[in-house]
Amino acid sequence: MKRKKVKVLGLSHSQSQAGSYIAVLSEKGGRKIPVIIKPAEAQNIALKMEGIKTARPLTHDLIKSMTDAFSIDVQEVYIYKVVEGIFYTKIICSNGIEESETECTVGDGIAISMTYGCPIWASMEV
């Protein structure tokens, strides 16, 4: 399946869903994809975008510490389909021997991508 690399263009409050946020993903020179995410993921993404370090690790930082301790490399985040407004996303990891795919919310996928510095890919269907 064809896919395109996307990056986080911005983050804002959702006008339609109270308490939620919208992360805007963008293809290089192409389409923009608005994605509704939860406040916790939005906070983590905003901190990473601004380069702000917290006094204590947030959940995604804790996950990074654990994967680093066990030599697990997060290679990419892949948004592979959207059904009724829900973005299906997986994190692709490797321990150097085998690869693993783990389902996650799109907000967690974006936050993990920003924590690890790995690319986000979106299928052309998305």
Side-chain angles (χ1 to χ4, degrees):
M1 183 178 290
K2 289 189 174 191
R3 59 192 199 157
K4 291 250 185 167
K5 194 172 187 177
V6 296
K7 65 177 186 170
V8 180
L9 186 63
L11 194 61
S12 67
H13 288 278
S14 173
Q15 300 293 325
S16 62
Q17 296 211 354
S20 294
Y21 290 79
I22 296 177
V24 179
L25 304 177
S26 174
E27 292 177 356
K28 187 175 183 177
R31 66 190 170 139
K32 292 179 181 38
I33 307 166
V35 178
I36 295 175
I37 60 174
K38 294 178 263 174
E41 288 81 14
Q43 177 189 27
N44 196 300
I45 293 165
L47 290 170
K48 298 293 184 212
M49 288 175 74
E50 297 296 323
I52 298 171
K53 301 274 186 197
T54 57
R56 302 290 299 147
L58 298 175
T59 304
H60 301 96
D61 300 317
L62 174 63
I63 292 168
K64 182 165 184 359
S65 295
M66 292 171 63
T67 56
D68 287 352
F70 290 97
S71 301
I72 297 169
D73 179 41
V74 175
Q75 298 178 321
E76 67 183 58
V77 171
Y78 182 40
I79 306 168
Y80 61 95
K81 73 178 176 180
V82 61
V83 177
E84 296 180 9
I86 297 171
F87 290 81
Y88 288 81
T89 307
K90 52 185 148 186
I91 301 167
I92 291 79
C93 302
S94 173
N95 64 4
I97 298 169
E98 56 189 354
E99 197 172 270
S100 172
E101 296 180 356
T102 304
E103 284 289 321
C104 67
T105 65
V106 69
D108 279 326
I110 295 167
I112 288 288
S113 168
M114 296 191 78
T115 300
Y116 285 84
C118 69
I120 303 171
W121 295 90
S123 71
M124 296 304 290
E125 173 190 336
V126 173

PDB file of all heavy atoms in Angstrom, residues 29-57:
ATOM      1  N   GLY A  29       4.484  19.546   1.176  1.00  0.00           N
ATOM      2  CA  GLY A  29       3.883  20.215   0.034  1.00  0.00           C
ATOM      3  C   GLY A  29       2.534  19.664  -0.377  1.00  0.00           C
ATOM      4  O   GLY A  29       2.124  19.820  -1.514  1.00  0.00           O
ATOM      5  N   GLY A  30       1.842  18.999   0.540  1.00  0.00           N
ATOM      6  CA  GLY A  30       0.595  18.357   0.156  1.00  0.00           C
ATOM      7  C   GLY A  30      -0.544  18.592   1.113  1.00  0.00           C
ATOM      8  O   GLY A  30      -0.656  19.638   1.741  1.00  0.00           O
ATOM      9  N   ARG A  31      -1.347  17.570   1.229  1.00  0.00           N
ATOM     10  CA  ARG A  31      -2.569  17.663   2.021  1.00  0.00           C
ATOM     11  C   ARG A  31      -2.302  17.786   3.517  1.00  0.00           C
ATOM     12  O   ARG A  31      -1.238  17.426   3.998  1.00  0.00           O
ATOM     13  CB  ARG A  31      -3.443  16.449   1.736  1.00  0.00           C
ATOM     14  CG  ARG A  31      -2.835  15.150   2.195  1.00  0.00           C
ATOM     15  CD  ARG A  31      -3.583  13.934   1.704  1.00  0.00           C
ATOM     16  NE  ARG A  31      -2.768  12.766   2.019  1.00  0.00           N
ATOM     17  CZ  ARG A  31      -3.229  11.633   2.472  1.00  0.00           C
ATOM     18  NH1 ARG A  31      -4.524  11.481   2.643  1.00  0.00           N
ATOM     19  NH2 ARG A  31      -2.417  10.640   2.734  1.00  0.00           N
ATOM     20  N   LYS A  32      -3.314  18.272   4.202  1.00  0.00           N
ATOM     21  CA  LYS A  32      -3.260  18.396   5.651  1.00  0.00           C
ATOM     22  C   LYS A  32      -4.317  17.467   6.234  1.00  0.00           C
ATOM     23  O   LYS A  32      -5.407  17.346   5.701  1.00  0.00           O
ATOM     24  CB  LYS A  32      -3.488  19.834   6.068  1.00  0.00           C
ATOM     25  CG  LYS A  32      -2.316  20.703   5.620  1.00  0.00           C
ATOM     26  CD  LYS A  32      -2.491  22.148   5.974  1.00  0.00           C
ATOM     27  CE  LYS A  32      -1.336  22.991   5.500  1.00  0.00           C
ATOM     28  NZ  LYS A  32      -0.746  22.671   4.234  1.00  0.00           N
ATOM     29  N   ILE A  33      -3.967  16.801   7.332  1.00  0.00           N
ATOM     30  CA  ILE A  33      -4.859  15.833   7.953  1.00  0.00           C
ATOM     31  C   ILE A  33      -5.135  16.267   9.386  1.00  0.00           C
ATOM     32  O   ILE A  33      -4.247  16.180  10.239  1.00  0.00           O
ATOM     33  CB  ILE A  33      -4.225  14.423   7.948  1.00  0.00           C
ATOM     34  CG1 ILE A  33      -3.770  14.029   6.546  1.00  0.00           C
ATOM     35  CG2 ILE A  33      -5.186  13.406   8.540  1.00  0.00           C
ATOM     36  CD1 ILE A  33      -2.841  12.829   6.520  1.00  0.00           C
ATOM     37  N   PRO A  34      -6.361  16.742   9.683  1.00  0.00           N
ATOM     38  CA  PRO A  34      -6.695  17.082  11.073  1.00  0.00           C
ATOM     39  C   PRO A  34      -7.107  15.813  11.834  1.00  0.00           C
ATOM     40  O   PRO A  34      -7.886  15.005  11.344  1.00  0.00           O
ATOM     41  CB  PRO A  34      -7.870  18.043  10.924  1.00  0.00           C
ATOM     42  CG  PRO A  34      -8.505  17.681   9.626  1.00  0.00           C
ATOM     43  CD  PRO A  34      -7.411  17.111   8.751  1.00  0.00           C
ATOM     44  N   VAL A  35      -6.541  15.642  13.027  1.00  0.00           N
ATOM     45  CA  VAL A  35      -6.772  14.448  13.826  1.00  0.00           C
ATOM     46  C   VAL A  35      -7.181  14.875  15.232  1.00  0.00           C
ATOM     47  O   VAL A  35      -6.479  15.670  15.865  1.00  0.00           O
ATOM     48  CB  VAL A  35      -5.482  13.599  13.899  1.00  0.00           C
ATOM     49  CG1 VAL A  35      -5.679  12.383  14.758  1.00  0.00           C
ATOM     50  CG2 VAL A  35      -5.004  13.213  12.518  1.00  0.00           C
ATOM     51  N   ILE A  36      -8.293  14.350  15.736  1.00  0.00           N
ATOM     52  CA  ILE A  36      -8.719  14.666  17.100  1.00  0.00           C
ATOM     53  C   ILE A  36      -7.963  13.759  18.064  1.00  0.00           C
ATOM     54  O   ILE A  36      -7.912  12.538  17.882  1.00  0.00           O
ATOM     55  CB  ILE A  36     -10.242  14.481  17.256  1.00  0.00           C
ATOM     56  CG1 ILE A  36     -10.963  15.498  16.378  1.00  0.00           C
ATOM     57  CG2 ILE A  36     -10.655  14.632  18.721  1.00  0.00           C
ATOM     58  CD1 ILE A  36     -12.454  15.353  16.333  1.00  0.00           C
ATOM     59  N   ILE A  37      -7.372  14.385  19.099  1.00  0.00           N
ATOM     60  CA  ILE A  37      -6.615  13.634  20.104  1.00  0.00           C
ATOM     61  C   ILE A  37      -7.028  14.068  21.504  1.00  0.00           C
ATOM     62  O   ILE A  37      -7.624  15.123  21.696  1.00  0.00           O
ATOM     63  CB  ILE A  37      -5.088  13.802  19.909  1.00  0.00           C
ATOM     64  CG1 ILE A  37      -4.688  15.272  20.020  1.00  0.00           C
ATOM     65  CG2 ILE A  37      -4.649  13.204  18.594  1.00  0.00           C
ATOM     66  CD1 ILE A  37      -3.197  15.501  19.982  1.00  0.00           C
ATOM     67  N   LYS A  38      -6.672  13.247  22.484  1.00  0.00           N
ATOM     68  CA  LYS A  38      -7.019  13.512  23.884  1.00  0.00           C
ATOM     69  C   LYS A  38      -6.049  14.518  24.503  1.00  0.00           C
ATOM     70  O   LYS A  38      -4.922  14.693  24.030  1.00  0.00           O
ATOM     71  CB  LYS A  38      -7.005  12.206  24.671  1.00  0.00           C
ATOM     72  CG  LYS A  38      -8.092  11.231  24.235  1.00  0.00           C
ATOM     73  CD  LYS A  38      -8.013   9.946  25.014  1.00  0.00           C
ATOM     74  CE  LYS A  38      -7.247   8.948  24.165  1.00  0.00           C
ATOM     75  NZ  LYS A  38      -6.964   7.705  24.794  1.00  0.00           N
ATOM     76  N   PRO A  39      -6.482  15.165  25.598  1.00  0.00           N
ATOM     77  CA  PRO A  39      -5.649  16.196  26.246  1.00  0.00           C
ATOM     78  C   PRO A  39      -4.257  15.720  26.682  1.00  0.00           C
ATOM     79  O   PRO A  39      -3.288  16.452  26.527  1.00  0.00           O
ATOM     80  CB  PRO A  39      -6.476  16.627  27.455  1.00  0.00           C
ATOM     81  CG  PRO A  39      -7.887  16.315  27.074  1.00  0.00           C
ATOM     82  CD  PRO A  39      -7.810  15.091  26.209  1.00  0.00           C
ATOM     83  N   ALA A  40      -4.148  14.506  27.225  1.00  0.00           N
ATOM     84  CA  ALA A  40      -2.842  14.023  27.698  1.00  0.00           C
ATOM     85  C   ALA A  40      -1.834  13.929  26.552  1.00  0.00           C
ATOM     86  O   ALA A  40      -0.675  14.341  26.701  1.00  0.00           O
ATOM     87  CB  ALA A  40      -2.992  12.669  28.384  1.00  0.00           C
ATOM     88  N   GLU A  41      -2.275  13.400  25.414  1.00  0.00           N
ATOM     89  CA  GLU A  41      -1.389  13.296  24.261  1.00  0.00           C
ATOM     90  C   GLU A  41      -1.065  14.684  23.715  1.00  0.00           C
ATOM     91  O   GLU A  41       0.063  14.963  23.324  1.00  0.00           O
ATOM     92  CB  GLU A  41      -2.000  12.422  23.165  1.00  0.00           C
ATOM     93  CG  GLU A  41      -2.024  10.956  23.498  1.00  0.00           C
ATOM     94  CD  GLU A  41      -3.176  10.547  24.404  1.00  0.00           C
ATOM     95  OE1 GLU A  41      -4.121  11.341  24.590  1.00  0.00           O
ATOM     96  OE2 GLU A  41      -3.123   9.430  24.942  1.00  0.00           O
ATOM     97  N   ALA A  42      -2.062  15.566  23.706  1.00  0.00           N
ATOM     98  CA  ALA A  42      -1.844  16.939  23.237  1.00  0.00           C
ATOM     99  C   ALA A  42      -0.794  17.640  24.098  1.00  0.00           C
ATOM    100  O   ALA A  42       0.071  18.350  23.578  1.00  0.00           O
ATOM    101  CB  ALA A  42      -3.149  17.719  23.246  1.00  0.00           C
ATOM    102  N   GLN A  43      -0.860  17.435  25.412  1.00  0.00           N
ATOM    103  CA  GLN A  43       0.122  18.053  26.314  1.00  0.00           C
ATOM    104  C   GLN A  43       1.524  17.558  25.993  1.00  0.00           C
ATOM    105  O   GLN A  43       2.461  18.342  25.872  1.00  0.00           O
ATOM    106  CB  GLN A  43      -0.216  17.729  27.768  1.00  0.00           C
ATOM    107  CG  GLN A  43       0.819  18.275  28.743  1.00  0.00           C
ATOM    108  CD  GLN A  43       0.617  17.786  30.165  1.00  0.00           C
ATOM    109  OE1 GLN A  43       0.075  16.706  30.397  1.00  0.00           O
ATOM    110  NE2 GLN A  43       1.055  18.576  31.118  1.00  0.00           N
ATOM    111  N   ASN A  44       1.669  16.256  25.821  1.00  0.00           N
ATOM    112  CA  ASN A  44       2.979  15.686  25.518  1.00  0.00           C
ATOM    113  C   ASN A  44       3.516  16.201  24.188  1.00  0.00           C
ATOM    114  O   ASN A  44       4.684  16.571  24.077  1.00  0.00           O
ATOM    115  CB  ASN A  44       2.892  14.155  25.512  1.00  0.00           C
ATOM    116  CG  ASN A  44       4.240  13.496  25.589  1.00  0.00           C
ATOM    117  OD1 ASN A  44       5.086  13.695  24.731  1.00  0.00           O
ATOM    118  ND2 ASN A  44       4.436  12.705  26.623  1.00  0.00           N
ATOM    119  N   ILE A  45       2.653  16.251  23.184  1.00  0.00           N
ATOM    120  CA  ILE A  45       3.057  16.750  21.863  1.00  0.00           C
ATOM    121  C   ILE A  45       3.474  18.212  21.946  1.00  0.00           C
ATOM    122  O   ILE A  45       4.510  18.605  21.395  1.00  0.00           O
ATOM    123  CB  ILE A  45       1.918  16.544  20.839  1.00  0.00           C
ATOM    124  CG1 ILE A  45       1.703  15.046  20.600  1.00  0.00           C
ATOM    125  CG2 ILE A  45       2.213  17.270  19.532  1.00  0.00           C
ATOM    126  CD1 ILE A  45       0.396  14.705  19.902  1.00  0.00           C
ATOM    127  N   ALA A  46       2.688  19.020  22.658  1.00  0.00           N
ATOM    128  CA  ALA A  46       3.006  20.452  22.797  1.00  0.00           C
ATOM    129  C   ALA A  46       4.355  20.649  23.488  1.00  0.00           C
ATOM    130  O   ALA A  46       5.164  21.486  23.057  1.00  0.00           O
ATOM    131  CB  ALA A  46       1.900  21.165  23.569  1.00  0.00           C
ATOM    132  N   LEU A  47       4.614  19.882  24.536  1.00  0.00           N
ATOM    133  CA  LEU A  47       5.894  19.993  25.236  1.00  0.00           C
ATOM    134  C   LEU A  47       7.053  19.627  24.309  1.00  0.00           C
ATOM    135  O   LEU A  47       8.092  20.297  24.306  1.00  0.00           O
ATOM    136  CB  LEU A  47       5.907  19.095  26.477  1.00  0.00           C
ATOM    137  CG  LEU A  47       5.004  19.537  27.626  1.00  0.00           C
ATOM    138  CD1 LEU A  47       4.918  18.440  28.689  1.00  0.00           C
ATOM    139  CD2 LEU A  47       5.495  20.843  28.240  1.00  0.00           C
ATOM    140  N   LYS A  48       6.875  18.582  23.522  1.00  0.00           N
ATOM    141  CA  LYS A  48       7.934  18.180  22.578  1.00  0.00           C
ATOM    142  C   LYS A  48       8.128  19.232  21.490  1.00  0.00           C
ATOM    143  O   LYS A  48       9.263  19.530  21.108  1.00  0.00           O
ATOM    144  CB  LYS A  48       7.605  16.830  21.928  1.00  0.00           C
ATOM    145  CG  LYS A  48       7.497  15.681  22.890  1.00  0.00           C
ATOM    146  CD  LYS A  48       8.818  15.336  23.519  1.00  0.00           C
ATOM    147  CE  LYS A  48       8.645  14.114  24.405  1.00  0.00           C
ATOM    148  NZ  LYS A  48       9.518  14.105  25.551  1.00  0.00           N
ATOM    149  N   MET A  49       7.024  19.807  20.997  1.00  0.00           N
ATOM    150  CA  MET A  49       7.135  20.837  19.954  1.00  0.00           C
ATOM    151  C   MET A  49       7.894  22.063  20.466  1.00  0.00           C
ATOM    152  O   MET A  49       8.647  22.677  19.717  1.00  0.00           O
ATOM    153  CB  MET A  49       5.736  21.256  19.477  1.00  0.00           C
ATOM    154  CG  MET A  49       5.044  20.198  18.648  1.00  0.00           C
ATOM    155  SD  MET A  49       3.352  20.633  18.215  1.00  0.00           S
ATOM    156  CE  MET A  49       3.648  21.891  16.968  1.00  0.00           C
ATOM    157  N   GLU A  50       7.694  22.380  21.734  1.00  0.00           N
ATOM    158  CA  GLU A  50       8.337  23.558  22.322  1.00  0.00           C
ATOM    159  C   GLU A  50       9.709  23.248  22.922  1.00  0.00           C
ATOM    160  O   GLU A  50      10.401  24.141  23.379  1.00  0.00           O
ATOM    161  CB  GLU A  50       7.429  24.161  23.404  1.00  0.00           C
ATOM    162  CG  GLU A  50       6.099  24.660  22.873  1.00  0.00           C
ATOM    163  CD  GLU A  50       6.256  25.815  21.896  1.00  0.00           C
ATOM    164  OE1 GLU A  50       7.146  26.665  22.100  1.00  0.00           O
ATOM    165  OE2 GLU A  50       5.486  25.863  20.918  1.00  0.00           O
ATOM    166  N   GLY A  51      10.074  21.970  22.957  1.00  0.00           N
ATOM    167  CA  GLY A  51      11.368  21.583  23.518  1.00  0.00           C
ATOM    168  C   GLY A  51      11.434  21.743  25.023  1.00  0.00           C
ATOM    169  O   GLY A  51      12.507  21.938  25.588  1.00  0.00           O
ATOM    170  N   ILE A  52      10.305  21.636  25.704  1.00  0.00           N
ATOM    171  CA  ILE A  52      10.236  21.813  27.155  1.00  0.00           C
ATOM    172  C   ILE A  52      10.452  20.471  27.848  1.00  0.00           C
ATOM    173  O   ILE A  52       9.812  19.476  27.515  1.00  0.00           O
ATOM    174  CB  ILE A  52       8.871  22.414  27.571  1.00  0.00           C
ATOM    175  CG1 ILE A  52       8.708  23.792  26.949  1.00  0.00           C
ATOM    176  CG2 ILE A  52       8.741  22.462  29.094  1.00  0.00           C
ATOM    177  CD1 ILE A  52       7.317  24.383  27.105  1.00  0.00           C
ATOM    178  N   LYS A  53      11.356  20.446  28.808  1.00  0.00           N
ATOM    179  CA  LYS A  53      11.619  19.255  29.615  1.00  0.00           C
ATOM    180  C   LYS A  53      10.811  19.357  30.903  1.00  0.00           C
ATOM    181  O   LYS A  53      10.712  20.431  31.494  1.00  0.00           O
ATOM    182  CB  LYS A  53      13.107  19.161  29.972  1.00  0.00           C
ATOM    183  CG  LYS A  53      14.028  19.102  28.777  1.00  0.00           C
ATOM    184  CD  LYS A  53      14.188  17.704  28.315  1.00  0.00           C
ATOM    185  CE  LYS A  53      15.237  17.655  27.211  1.00  0.00           C
ATOM    186  NZ  LYS A  53      15.186  16.475  26.457  1.00  0.00           N
ATOM    187  N   THR A  54      10.242  18.245  31.332  1.00  0.00           N
ATOM    188  CA  THR A  54       9.480  18.235  32.581  1.00  0.00           C
ATOM    189  C   THR A  54      10.366  17.721  33.715  1.00  0.00           C
ATOM    190  O   THR A  54      11.341  16.998  33.477  1.00  0.00           O
ATOM    191  CB  THR A  54       8.237  17.331  32.456  1.00  0.00           C
ATOM    192  OG1 THR A  54       8.649  16.022  32.098  1.00  0.00           O
ATOM    193  CG2 THR A  54       7.269  17.870  31.403  1.00  0.00           C
ATOM    194  N   ALA A  55      10.014  18.077  34.944  1.00  0.00           N
ATOM    195  CA  ALA A  55      10.800  17.657  36.104  1.00  0.00           C
ATOM    196  C   ALA A  55      10.746  16.136  36.283  1.00  0.00           C
ATOM    197  O   ALA A  55      11.718  15.524  36.716  1.00  0.00           O
ATOM    198  CB  ALA A  55      10.283  18.349  37.361  1.00  0.00           C
ATOM    199  N   ARG A  56       9.614  15.560  35.972  1.00  0.00           N
ATOM    200  CA  ARG A  56       9.423  14.117  36.069  1.00  0.00           C
ATOM    201  C   ARG A  56       8.994  13.592  34.699  1.00  0.00           C
ATOM    202  O   ARG A  56       8.357  14.310  33.931  1.00  0.00           O
ATOM    203  CB  ARG A  56       8.344  13.787  37.109  1.00  0.00           C
ATOM    204  CG  ARG A  56       8.630  14.307  38.506  1.00  0.00           C
ATOM    205  CD  ARG A  56       9.765  13.593  39.222  1.00  0.00           C
ATOM    206  NE  ARG A  56       9.438  12.189  39.383  1.00  0.00           N
ATOM    207  CZ  ARG A  56      10.323  11.207  39.372  1.00  0.00           C
ATOM    208  NH1 ARG A  56      11.597  11.460  39.212  1.00  0.00           N
ATOM    209  NH2 ARG A  56       9.951   9.970  39.516  1.00  0.00           N
ATOM    210  N   PRO A  57       9.319  12.338  34.388  1.00  0.00           N
ATOM    211  CA  PRO A  57       8.970  11.810  33.067  1.00  0.00           C
ATOM    212  C   PRO A  57       7.456  11.644  32.888  1.00  0.00           C
ATOM    213  O   PRO A  57       6.761  11.212  33.799  1.00  0.00           O
ATOM    214  CB  PRO A  57       9.676  10.457  33.009  1.00  0.00           C
ATOM    215  CG  PRO A  57       9.959  10.093  34.422  1.00  0.00           C
ATOM    216  CD  PRO A  57      10.060  11.366  35.194  1.00  0.00           C
TER     217      PRO A  57
END
